[in-house]
Amino acid sequence: DAGVIQSPRHEVTEMGQEVTLRCKPISGHNSLFWYRQTMMRGLELLIYFNNNVPIDDSGMPEDRFSAKMPNASFSTLKIQPSEPRDSAVYFCASRQGLTNTEAFFGQGTRLTVV
Amino acid sequence: AQTVTQSQPEMSVQEAETVTLSCTYDTSENNYYLFWYKQPPSRQMILVIRQEAYKQQNATENRFSVNFQKAAKSFSLKISDSQLGDTAMYFCAFMKRVGAQKLVFGQGTRLTINP
């Protein structure tokens, strides 16, 4: 398997624009996580899905952020409108089942909002 | 809520030396997992080692070992015979065994191995 695949690797956008980050989890994994990494706040969990259903979205900063998982092989994280303080690295991770503890991370998307 | 604290923002050692990274956590849970993840400059998060709280024996993976002190809520990582490729950010993480199984990370320790 190619691992967790995120796209794009880098994104530069202007303030106010819509940004969509994409993630393809490892085949067979039924838990998916979106994390944000910044120097100030470290790694924060934004939302996680189990069997395509959002389980905990308490980390989503505000209504400008939304995440979807329409099927087991695809998830999106959308920011609309984007702001400079959203600049960060966004990671997607997936895990198989509830007893398998290892989460596999994608290589992240570095988002810069200017 | 669980919190994870890494009190060493940066560390630096010479190649082949042994280095210990500290991690403490706070939880009211009795069953949980603890992890150390490595993040090299490539940004990829890589699992280094995992400890199950109900196991008293400290986990070991080649040059990497942990000192797990459940009562003290301490979980340090020891890297023996350090190598240049060990240079990375290291994150300590906590996950409940039952219920919401999400990883809670510490702030990280930047480790530099000098030649």
Side-chain angles (χ1 to χ4, degrees), chain A residues 37 56 101 105 107-108, chain B residues 39 43-44 50 101-103:
Chain A
Q37 185 178 27
D56 183 350
T101 60
F105 283 75
Q107 291 203 291
Chain B
Q39 186 180 39
R43 251 181 17 216
Q44 183 76 50
R50 165 180 48 218
Q101 291 189 309
K102 56 186 181 183
L103 285 165

Side-chain angles (χ1 to χ4, degrees), chain A residues 11-69:
Chain A
E11 176 80 33
V12 180
T13 191
E14 291 187 348
M15 183 173 64
Q17 296 298 305
E18 176 180 298
V19 176
T20 299
L21 311 182
R22 296 172 174 81
C23 175
K24 176 178 166 54
I26 293 173
S27 178
H29 285 194
N30 62 349
S31 294
L32 183 139
F33 308 82
W34 282 101
Y35 283 88
R36 178 172 67 175
Q37 185 178 27
T38 61
M39 287 291 292
M40 291 298 296
R41 300 173 69 90
L43 276 155
E44 304 173 276
L45 178 69
L46 299 178
I47 185 170
Y48 88 92
F49 296 85
N50 193 49
N51 293 324
N52 311 339
V53 176
I55 302 298
D56 183 350
D57 65 355
S58 59
M60 295 287 262
E62 48 198 273
D63 291 346
R64 298 185 297 106
F65 285 69
S66 62
K68 294 182 179 179
M69 192 164 185

